[in-house]
Amino acid sequence: FDLDGTLLPMDMEQFTKAYFGLLAKKLAPLGYEPEKLIQSIWTGTAAMVKNDGTKPNEQAFWDKFCEIYGEKAIKDLPYFDAYYREDFDKVQASCGFSPLAKKVVDSLKERGYRVALATNPIFPSIATEKRIAWAGLSPSDFEMFTTYENSRFCKPNLNYYKDILAKLGKAEQAKELFPHVTMADGYSESDRLISFTAGWSDAQQLERAKKAITYVRDHHGNGQKVAIVAHAAFNTFLCHHIMGLDPDA
């Protein structure tokens, strides 16, 4: 599953505004000018997205951030940590909540599926654990979840997904991961992986998504295992139709 905008409903613009606003307020007394701070965080985030796998995302971020602020950034790390402990929960007000999130996760686990949280690993573990809690879930609900400490790639790099599958003991399946594949001949073997996106403004994408749902339902019904990598709220839409869940329940 993805987290932001999937298990945890949110308007990314509102979330980002609240997140940066509180962080800038926290660090202003230390001499961090808000505009420069925010731009520097985006620069550090870009370094994580471009990470070639030679270092953890955490190091990629702080290496870039320290290029801008020097050793001061390292000395101020306790204040960044304090922000996540003491202030980050206030950002929850910018997010929504769906009781369906836990229902879907629990339903899949009851059916024997292994559930991982593939949220873009640009946040420290504490921030990810808090957002999981905002969604009404616990870190223990997932076999694993990605953070900037335990990841060396980011979305949309395919190596990010390959690393997850490898950590789940599915290295062979990782070799079959390709972007935007909805359905293809030959996908009858067990443990095949379908990766697709849903562009709801695009009728063709919606039709492809429906075909993917039919494919997964048919093969799941035959006792075959199908790994699914979907983006955004399409995760829950997919689970409604495959598992017969009532979205209004």
Side-chain angles (χ1 to χ4, degrees):
F1 280 93
D2 190 14
L3 178 59
D4 302 322
T6 303
L7 296 177
L8 179 64
M10 69 165 60
D11 179 300
M12 192 58 66
E13 184 176 350
Q14 293 181 12
F15 171 83
T16 303
K17 182 179 180 180
Y19 168 70
F20 281 133
L22 288 168
L23 181 60
K25 182 178 180 181
K26 182 79 170 182
L27 298 180
L30 300 176
Y32 289 90
E33 191 275 322
E35 186 174 344
K36 180 181 178 181
L37 172 66
I38 293 170
Q39 183 57 52
S40 299
I41 292 174
W42 281 124
T43 300
T45 301
M48 290 190 283
V49 172
K50 296 175 182 177
N51 193 0
D52 60 4
T54 57
K55 62 180 75 171
N57 286 345
E58 178 182 21
Q59 184 180 345
F61 175 85
W62 288 105
D63 283 352
K64 181 59 65 174
F65 197 78
C66 287
E67 286 181 13
I68 300 170
Y69 286 103
E71 292 302 313
K72 170 182 172 55
I74 299 300
K75 294 178 181 178
D76 289 339
L77 268 173
Y79 295 95
F80 285 87
D81 293 338
Y83 165 73
Y84 288 109
R85 289 196 314 271
E86 302 167 3
D87 300 281
F88 187 61
D89 275 324
K90 299 174 184 176
V91 181
Q92 182 180 4
S94 69
C95 301
F97 176 79
S98 173
L100 182 62
K102 183 165 178 58
K103 288 183 181 181
V104 168
V105 171
D106 288 347
S107 180
L108 289 172
K109 292 173 68 177
E110 288 168 3
R111 288 166 169 78
Y113 285 90
R114 301 169 67 186
V115 181
L117 187 66
T119 181
N120 211 5
I122 58 175
F123 283 101
S125 179
I126 185 174
T128 303
E129 291 177 8
K130 284 180 176 290
R131 296 189 340 275
I132 291 172
W134 299 350
L137 292 155
S138 167
S140 63
D141 287 318
F142 304 96
E143 190 164 335
M144 66 163 292
F145 60 94
T146 51
T147 69
Y148 82 172
E149 294 98 339
N150 67 14
S151 302
R152 58 197 181 108
F153 298 106
C154 285
K155 299 177 184 179
N157 191 326
L158 286 181
N159 288 313
Y160 165 72
Y161 298 101
K162 291 178 180 178
D163 269 5
I164 291 176
L165 289 173
K167 290 175 182 178
L168 293 173
K170 296 290 183 179
E172 288 303 311
Q173 281 71 22
K175 296 177 182 178
E176 300 173 3
L177 180 56
F178 298 96
H180 312 308
V181 176
T182 58
M183 188 174 179
D185 293 338
Y187 269 58
S188 58
E189 299 93 332
S190 63
D191 289 321
R192 287 287 184 167
L193 188 143
I194 304 172
S195 174
F196 52 89
T197 59
W200 296 116
S201 61
D202 187 328
Q204 184 178 12
Q205 283 278 34
L206 181 57
E207 183 61 29
R208 294 172 67 206
K210 289 179 178 178
K211 289 182 179 179
I213 290 170
T214 300
Y215 171 84
V216 175
R217 183 189 289 119
D218 290 347
H219 287 73
H220 176 263
N222 290 333
Q224 298 183 32
K225 297 179 180 179
V226 181
I228 304 165
V229 178
H231 177 65
F234 189 67
N235 281 297
T236 50
F237 177 84
L238 180 75
C239 290
H240 292 163
H241 290 268
I242 295 175
M243 303 303 174
L245 299 177
D246 181 359
D248 297 321

